[in-house]
Amino acid sequence: MEGHRPGVRDSPEITQAGGKVPVKSPGSGEEEETEETLNDEVVGRAVRFSIVLIMALAAVVAAAVYLNRPPRDVAPVTPGLTALPATRRLPPVQIPQLPFADITVTAGIDFVHENGADGEKLLPETMGGGGAFLDFDNDGDQDIFCVNSNVWPWSARQPTNAPQSTLYANDGSGRFTDVTSGSGLETPIYGNGVACGDYDNDGRVDLFVTAVGANRLYHNEGGGRFTDVTLATGVAGPSDAWSTSAGWFDYDLDGDLDLFVCNYIEWSREKDRSMEFTLDGTLRAYGRPTDFTGVFPILYRNEGNGTFLDVSAETGVQVRNPDTGTPLSKSLGLTFADVNSDGRPDIVIANDTVQNLLVLSQPDGTFTENATGAGVAFDNSGNARGAMGIDAACFRNSDAVGIVIGNFANEMTALYVSQTPGASLPVFRDEAVSNGIGPVTRVELTFGVLFVDIDLDGRLDLFAANGHLEQDIQKVQASQHYEQPPQLLWNCGSQHDSEFMVVTRDQTTPDLLQPMVGRGATLADIDGDGDSDLLILSSGGRPRLLRNDQQTGHHWLRLRLQGTACNRDAIGARIEVTLPDQVVLSRTVNPTRSYQSQVELPVTFGLGQHNRVSRVRVVWPGGSEQDVVVDQVDQLVEVQQKPQEPV
């Protein structure tokens, strides 16, 4: 993270050098005095004529420059800087009331994240806090899994009961019960993130937990029981690795889920302590990732027999630094999106202080990295940012994919929008400044980001979980706080110059904007009322479960897919809902979003004032299409993949 050195980035000092140039006059004698006087008169007339001529030419040049000057609104920007508008005219629209209620305690969520912080200021202590919504017991409602880290084994502070991740069962109304005991998930590890997916297509969702150290895969046996199958399946990863976000997807379209795991940096306690990181020369600070070597991500191919094979090298997902030959990636955020509409899932990775990655799927089962060519590697000035969380969606209800990435403090959230929908080699442009996101997200340190239709009007809004790394950050930066308020940006439509508007305290409730040390964020409809509720995870603290209490009266439709020929979770399926006014809402079944977290599998469509839909079409992984008859809205529709009819 760029600002892991929390001070303001120093500006390059610009110096100018100048001096007097001595001019010699030719020597002279008294005998030549008269001739020199005449020569002086000739020279004087010549000089005066030259001055007049030069002034005339200067006037002509100035006039030409003035007439050919660029318009003010496209004036060139100083290289290396991102220009922000001095003022921004907000759209003439009214943000609806979007109240949220903090129901964490009343809903039964008593989880507290343990990050192990004990004074040494070790970098992993800043990064934890992932979680997921999932239906582990197949009762139709969304349960919660909170990932915990741990106390360091060398710490003198050893609790009687070791910290553990926690599984909560939903009773269907949004009330939860801790069912961790006896589940098989109690093993304490220094956990970071979670990926949920039915990797063996047995109808039960399994859990993969990333960690500092070996990762864990838990097979869902049913009845609330999980079995640790890490060693048998071959997905532990190196014992000294630091894994962050992970996700299930079917990259080879063979009908079962493969696993992609992001790794951060080569880290050890000894290496971290040997570096003298400080805030102000005296206060010990958390380290910069720039001082650590990157690590390759891992792609595990599902062999279909309960085991996985590491195919990272042969598939091309290992990207090296062209200058050093070392692994380029310092990966924190992960999502999947078909950015070139070829029917195959591509991989988008948010990297910290090095370029982001866009790994394009090829027909032969390999991948090609093309982030720089696509325009998503850097900011508009060509600089890498401290990228954290990530999400992707067709947020304009068009074919254009948008990729949002949360960045470090004093770095704007990025919003890369496809300029060439359907092109085999996509081109994106960061439109964060022009559409209103950039200026209002610059100060905060953003981790989890999500596209979510909060008010069910059919347009995807943006939610961000924020929080700094340093408890003492305000001692050196007055604008920064350790606890920071989450942000909700309401999508008012692409017809407006400012596409996103900040939801303020006047348009919501204090519960939403209460500052916290936010990390992961996830969403689900926990109470069956059709709108998306939010769970924000925290580093070293309690999560916050926020019930969406919007009362816009907008209609909605939720779809839960079940694959038969494709993977049972239907991850990668695209759903298109056509409204009566011919607007097409396109969403993808993709739970791998935000930061070290997973969202629910059912997909929610806000319909606004429409009380019916004209068409619902599902494009399953592999390309088969299926129309779904929906007679009424404001309901959850179960859709099972039909066998493909012979041609």
Side-chain angles (χ1 to χ4, degrees):
M1 285 155 290
E2 189 79 18
H4 274 222
R5 52 176 195 270
V8 177
R9 186 184 305 171
D10 291 332
S11 300
E13 185 175 306
I14 300 174
T15 59
Q16 294 180 336
K20 296 180 180 180
V21 180
V23 179
K24 281 190 175 182
S25 299
S28 59
E30 289 182 0
E31 69 275 13
E32 298 176 341
E33 184 175 356
T34 303
E35 183 179 351
E36 287 184 19
T37 301
L38 293 173
N39 287 340
D40 286 344
E41 292 176 359
V42 173
V43 170
R45 287 194 297 271
V47 169
R48 287 191 294 272
F49 177 80
S50 299
I51 292 173
V52 172
L53 180 60
I54 290 171
M55 292 177 64
L57 289 173
V60 172
V61 171
V65 170
Y66 179 82
L67 293 174
N68 291 279
R69 73 193 190 286
R72 288 189 177 183
D73 58 343
V74 293
V77 178
T78 304
L81 298 176
T82 300
L84 295 180
T87 59
R88 181 179 295 276
R89 183 164 48 190
L90 296 178
V93 291
Q94 182 67 40
I95 299 177
Q97 288 298 307
L98 301 173
F100 283 83
D102 184 345
I103 61 169
T104 313
V105 175
T106 58
I109 306 299
D110 56 0
F111 176 80
V112 180
H113 180 260
E114 170 62 69
N115 61 16
D118 202 23
E120 288 188 313
K121 294 256 180 152
L122 303 177
L123 192 50
E125 298 164 5
T126 68
M127 308 299 285
F133 281 113
L134 72 162
D135 185 5
F136 80 91
D137 50 7
N138 288 336
D139 63 354
D141 53 42
Q142 297 303 308
D143 311 304
I144 291 175
F145 182 71
C146 296
V147 180
N148 214 344
S149 300
N150 208 343
V151 176
W152 296 115
W154 52 80
S155 175
R157 180 177 61 90
Q158 295 297 328
T160 303
N161 298 315
Q164 61 186 26
S165 299
T166 305
L167 180 66
Y168 293 96
N170 188 346
D171 68 358
S173 67
R175 294 188 62 84
F176 296 84
T177 302
D178 184 343
V179 293
T180 313
S181 180
S183 68
L185 300 171
E186 301 96 329
T187 306
I189 60 174
Y190 200 99
N192 289 312
V194 59
C196 311
D198 182 4
Y199 74 85
D200 56 354
N201 289 327
D202 66 353
R204 297 184 295 269
V205 63
D206 310 300
L207 294 178
F208 179 80
V209 181
T210 63
V212 175
N215 302 316
R216 302 298 177 98
L217 176 58
Y218 298 97
H219 181 262
N220 190 340
E221 306 293 345
R225 291 281 306 166
F226 291 80
T227 300
D228 187 338
V229 294
T230 310
L231 296 180
T233 55
V235 294
S239 60
D240 60 350
W242 176 355
S243 299
T244 53
S245 293
W248 299 96
F249 74 135
D250 186 3
Y251 88 91
D252 51 6
L253 300 178
D254 64 351
D256 53 34
L257 291 175
D258 311 295
L259 179 64
F260 193 89
V261 182
C262 290
N263 293 306
Y264 190 34
I265 55 175
E266 286 186 3
W267 179 86
S268 68
R269 179 194 183 198
E270 293 70 28
K271 184 181 297 185
D272 201 332
R273 292 186 63 187
S274 69
M275 300 180 186
E276 296 183 358
F277 302 116
T278 65
L279 282 175
D280 58 358
T282 57
L283 288 171
R284 167 76 177 176
Y286 287 107
R288 300 181 298 265
T290 50
D291 295 298
F292 296 87
T293 303
V295 181
F296 290 132
I298 301 176
L299 174 59
Y300 293 104
R301 185 179 67 208
N302 191 337
E303 299 294 273
N305 59 3
T307 66
F308 292 81
L309 182 65
D310 182 348
V311 294
S312 309
E314 55 263 48
T315 54
V317 300
Q318 295 182 342
V319 181
R320 295 183 181 274
N321 185 312
D323 298 323
T324 64
T326 57
L328 174 66
S329 297
K330 298 179 181 181
S331 304
L332 290 177
L334 170 69
T335 195
F336 307 108
D338 182 3
V339 299
N340 51 11
S341 303
D342 62 0
R344 296 186 300 271
D346 306 304
I347 308 168
V348 197
I349 302 172
N351 278 324
D352 191 1
T353 70
V354 296
Q355 71 161 80
N356 302 315
L357 298 180
L358 176 60
V359 191
L360 300 176
S361 177
Q362 304 300 307
D364 62 358
T366 62
F367 291 86
T368 301
E369 204 288 310
N370 192 47
T372 301
V376 301
F378 305 102
D379 67 12
N380 287 335
S381 302
N383 298 315
R385 289 184 275 205
M388 313 291 182
I390 189 170
D391 198 1
C394 295
F395 70 96
R396 285 179 178 157
N397 296 331
S398 68
D399 294 334
V401 175
I403 299 171
V404 62
I405 298 179
N407 292 308
F408 202 78
N410 301 316
E411 296 176 337
M412 296 180 291
T413 292
L415 183 60
Y416 301 103
V417 183
S418 174
Q419 309 298 303
T420 57
S424 58
L425 292 177
V427 175
F428 288 79
R429 183 175 66 210
D430 188 350
E431 300 183 3
V433 172
S434 61
N435 65 21
I437 292 176
V440 299
T441 59
R442 168 167 277 180
V443 174
E444 286 75 19
L445 199 169
T446 299
F447 278 87
V449 288
L450 289 169
F451 283 111
V452 51
D453 186 356
I454 290 295
D455 59 340
L456 301 174
D457 64 354
R459 297 186 298 268
L460 291 173
D461 311 302
L462 266 176
F463 177 78
N466 305 316
H468 212 282
L469 311 182
E470 296 284 355
Q471 287 183 313
D472 297 321
I473 187 61
Q474 202 175 24
K475 294 181 179 180
V476 295
Q477 283 192 35
S479 65
Q480 291 297 320
H481 299 269
Y482 184 48
E483 293 184 337
Q484 298 180 355
Q487 285 180 299
L488 178 59
L489 304 180
W490 182 67
N491 185 342
C492 60
S494 58
Q495 71 272 24
H496 301 291
D497 291 336
S498 291
E499 204 165 350
F500 288 88
M501 300 171 63
V502 177
V503 175
T504 67
R505 291 184 178 275
D506 293 335
Q507 289 114 17
T508 185
T509 45
D511 287 356
L512 176 65
L513 303 180
Q514 188 68 24
M516 66 182 297
V517 187
R519 293 296 184 260
T522 180
L523 62 86
D525 178 9
I526 63 172
D527 48 9
D529 63 355
D531 55 32
S532 295
D533 308 295
L534 299 171
L535 175 68
I536 313 173
L537 289 307
S538 177
S539 174
R542 299 179 182 275
R544 185 181 304 162
L545 181 60
L546 295 165
R547 187 185 63 217
N548 186 345
D549 287 341
Q550 62 85 26
Q551 299 291 328
T552 60
H554 290 157
H555 296 286
W556 51 273
L557 180 66
R558 285 168 52 80
L559 293 102
R560 181 163 51 211
L561 307 188
Q562 179 183 321
T564 53
C566 71
N567 68 87
R568 187 179 177 90
D569 288 340
I571 291 175
R574 187 175 78 252
I575 308 172
E576 297 175 353
V577 172
T578 304
L579 302 178
D581 58 6
Q582 299 309 302
V583 171
V584 179
L585 312 179
S586 179
R587 310 284 186 261
T588 301
V589 180
N590 176 33
T592 303
R593 300 158 57 186
S594 183
Y595 171 78
Q596 298 187 151
S597 300
Q598 302 267 275
V599 305
E600 64 173 346
L601 275 175
V603 178
T604 297
F605 290 84
L607 307 179
Q609 300 297 328
H610 299 287
N611 59 8
R612 64 183 182 87
V613 296
S614 298
R615 185 188 185 191
V616 175
R617 183 175 76 121
V618 177
V619 181
W620 300 92
S624 65
E625 299 181 8
Q626 181 176 336
D627 280 319
V628 179
V629 177
V630 176
D631 294 325
Q632 65 181 49
V633 298
D634 301 331
Q635 64 168 331
L636 171 68
V637 177
E638 305 270 358
V639 182
Q640 187 177 69
Q641 184 179 15
K642 292 182 179 179
Q644 193 168 5
E645 298 180 1
V647 179

